[in-house]
Amino acid sequence: MRYSGLKVIKEALTGHKGWTPAWRDPEPQPRYDIVIIGGGGHGLATAHYLASVYGEHRVAVIEKGWIGGGNVGRNTTIIRSNYLLDGNEPFYEFSLKLWEGLEQDLNYNAMVSQRGVMNLIHSDAQRDAFIRRGNAMILNGADAEYLDLGQVKKEYPFLNFDDARFPIKGGLAQRRGGTVRHDAVAWGYARAADSRGVDIIQNCEVTGFRIKDGKCLGVETSKGFIGAGRVGCAVAGNSSRLMAKAGMRLPIESHVLQAFVTEGLKPVLPGVITFGAGHFYVSQSDKGGLVFGGDIDGYNSYAQRGNLPVVEDVCESGMAIMPMIGRARLLRMWGGIMDMSMDGSPIIDRTHIEGLYFNGGWCYGGFKATPASGYAFAHMLARDEPHHTAAAYRFDRFRTGHMIDEKGMGNQPNLH
Ligand SMILES: Cc1cc2nc3c(=O)[nH]c(=O)nc-3n(C[C@H](O)[C@H](O)[C@H](O)COP(=O)(O)OP(=O)(O)OC[C@H]3O[C@@H](n4cnc5c(N)ncnc54)[C@H](O)[C@@H]3O)c2cc1C
């Protein structure tokens, strides 16, 4: 069924009797050409591009819970491509371009809103660093704009410009960045993949791999064995636990990251703002809530909830740049499990086991990567070679020392 304005009007006039389920609920078949583990954004996007671009239709996505229940439905919805390094910027710009055409590609309203992202500048040294990053973005075909103090004041007059510790001196804006309704991304990819024959199997946990003579033959699940020609793992925060079942130890740690939403307010924030002297990012949802977040909780965990010290830290950062936030009541908060890699950049690669492929290490930033990650992983699974925008995201960079360390923090996942 194609969704359209006409269809909405017709259904409104005829009692909404013509809507059908957006995807099927099939039982697993004994064997698929490709099995993807993880029905998050990345797994579902991979299935969509496998079917729509690479002609692979005998594909299943295996999800232990329900689709959208993981980080894809828990993030703060920000998309952008404002990276510095060559290994990253072309990939994230490819992703932003895919976001720009996503709703037409999926025939689904994912509420892609290019309302702009602005990184606030708080010192002269930071201005130099941000302008350098802006130039790298422009050289890679992205958009970037330096805003002086007067321009920032005009767009965001309520910010705390003269704070003695964190004075605001300007901003680096990416106008094509913005927000997307996160769970609609999971639903849109699921519907599009299902319509091309992909089986989406929910409430089915992968409990192990069947590996013989160095080759992966399929997956053991709570619904029995499912054979597969190739298996792609895209389970985000659960990456280390899943790959341990194949005997692999990853350069990844799992940490909790929390998100916060206030009560609904009248429109106040036109775009996304990030605090350059601390760690805080905020936007306003279409329902009016301020949606914000900050640092990870800083200890290893697989619990999808966080603790109070980080709540205090995030709220302090918010108060530092935007004191009026102190008047808003916090309505909801939750946590998700981040797969933090040692250099802060992801991995899309084959493993040493034939037929077993891995996608993970997205840290804080995997939501904006969803389309390109799905595309590049589909390419890897279909062609057994890296997509040109993701060529640097290999396992062996941790052995050869070719890190993609955007923040220059070294191998400290808790700082990325
Ligand atoms: C609070 C928070 C805020 C964030 N904000 C942003 C942001 O603003 N911008 C941004 O770009 N990124 C953001 N991120 C990061 C982003 O959400 C993640 O990097 C990204 O969603 C991870 O990929 P995914 O969608 O595939 O993960 P998930 O949705 O977590 O999908 C993985 C799936 O694998 C399933 N799974 C796990 N183990 C198994 C198993 N054994 N068998 C079967 N299924 C299994 C899980 O149930 C889960 O559904 C944020 C994350 C959090 C938690």
Side-chain angles (χ1 to χ4, degrees):
M1 179 200 292
R2 270 199 75 75
Y3 291 164
S4 66
L6 267 180
K7 176 78 184 156
V8 172
I9 294 167
K10 185 176 164 227
E11 289 301 326
L13 295 175
T14 54
H16 290 288
K17 296 202 178 72
W19 300 115
T20 53
W23 55 85
R24 297 163 297 129
D25 193 15
E27 282 304 307
Q29 296 171 26
R31 187 182 160 79
Y32 294 90
D33 291 342
I34 300 177
V35 161
I36 295 156
I37 309 171
H42 293 228
L44 293 164
T46 305
H48 167 65
Y49 294 114
L50 273 170
S52 66
V53 178
Y54 294 96
E56 299 274 2
H57 299 284
R58 290 194 42 75
V59 176
V61 178
I62 315 273
E63 165 55 47
K64 74 172 174 182
W66 65 95
I67 61 169
N71 289 346
V72 68
R74 291 168 180 266
N75 61 69
T76 39
T77 77
I78 301 166
I79 61 164
R80 56 188 170 84
S81 71
N82 52 1
Y83 283 74
L84 170 72
L85 300 179
D86 283 345
N88 279 330
E89 181 57 18
F91 174 82
Y92 285 101
E93 178 54 21
F94 176 50
S95 207
L96 196 49
K97 290 206 167 75
L98 289 172
W99 283 118
E100 287 171 333
L102 187 83
E103 292 172 321
Q104 292 70 26
D105 181 20
L106 302 184
N107 177 228
Y108 202 87
N109 179 10
M111 295 166 72
V112 177
S113 167
Q114 292 183 288
R115 56 185 69 185
V117 172
M118 188 181 51
N119 305 141
L120 293 172
I121 296 170
H122 304 274
S123 69
D124 293 341
Q126 192 168 48
R127 179 186 292 115
D128 291 348
F130 279 21
I131 288 178
R132 180 176 174 228
R133 178 154 55 89
N135 285 334
M137 290 161 64
I138 291 166
L139 286 172
N140 278 294
D143 64 307
E145 196 182 323
Y146 166 68
L147 304 184
D148 64 21
L149 181 57
Q151 288 167 297
V152 178
K153 274 189 173 162
K154 205 167 153 209
E155 290 187 30
Y156 294 94
F158 50 81
L159 292 178
N160 191 9
F161 288 94
D162 303 319
D163 182 274
R165 282 182 79 193
F166 310 119
I168 295 170
K169 295 184 169 241
L172 180 69
Q174 183 175 34
R175 305 284 184 196
R176 289 164 57 244
T179 58
V180 183
R181 181 172 172 187
H182 48 194
D183 32 23
V185 174
W187 301 332
Y189 273 121
R191 176 172 166 271
D194 174 273
S195 73
R196 289 191 154 87
V198 172
D199 281 357
I200 296 164
I201 300 159
Q202 302 183 74
N203 298 309
C204 180
E205 179 169 2
V206 171
T207 52
F209 298 91
R210 192 173 289 180
I211 297 166
K212 200 162 170 238
D213 300 329
K215 190 168 182 227
C216 184
L217 305 176
V219 291
E220 308 288 351
T221 79
S222 51
K223 295 191 175 182
F225 175 72
I226 303 174
R230 284 150 285 169
V231 175
C233 306
V235 297
N238 284 288
S239 292
S240 308
R241 283 208 285 207
L242 180 70
M243 300 316 280
K245 297 180 199 302
M248 288 181 70
R249 187 159 175 250
L250 302 180
I252 285 176
E253 286 184 5
S254 288
H255 288 261
V256 181
L257 177 66
Q258 302 187 55
F260 307 84
V261 180
T262 70
E263 62 191 322
L265 305 172
K266 285 185 179 170
V268 57
L269 264 184
V272 181
I273 311 177
T274 73
F275 177 31
H279 200 173
F280 180 78
Y281 34 91
V282 59
S283 64
Q284 187 168 21
S285 79
D286 290 354
K287 280 199 286 184
L290 299 178
V291 181
F292 57 91
D295 272 324
I296 52 176
D297 271 38
Y299 50 87
N300 300 133
S301 175
Y302 289 108
Q304 292 188 116
R305 59 165 193 263
N307 274 315
L308 286 172
V310 168
V311 179
E312 193 178 0
D313 178 66
V314 170
C315 292
E316 274 173 4
S317 293
M319 289 291 290
I321 55 163
M322 195 175 154
M324 70 172 176
I325 209 171
R327 301 283 302 277
R329 278 173 297 191
L330 203 55
L331 205 62
R332 297 183 281 134
M333 55 198 265
W334 61 84
I337 315 167
M338 316 305 315
D339 40 338
M340 307 294 292
S341 64
M342 293 294 145
D343 60 357
S345 293
I347 299 161
I348 302 177
D349 205 355
R350 56 176 90 86
T351 70
H352 67 286
I353 298 164
E354 194 184 332
L356 183 62
Y357 298 79
F358 178 75
N359 175 324
W362 293 100
C363 304
Y364 292 99
F367 178 62
K368 68 175 115 56
T370 305
S373 165
Y375 204 115
F377 201 34
H379 186 93
M380 171 63 82
L381 283 159
R383 303 258 170 92
D384 198 34
E385 62 180 26
H387 187 260
H388 66 93
T389 61
Y393 297 154
R394 318 305 301 277
F395 273 116
D396 68 359
R397 71 176 189 268
F398 299 101
R399 180 165 50 77
T400 61
H402 292 92
M403 303 292 181
I404 315 168
D405 188 353
E406 193 75 28
K407 286 191 174 176
M409 297 288 201
N411 54 349
Q412 292 197 55
N414 56 317
L415 296 179
H416 283 292

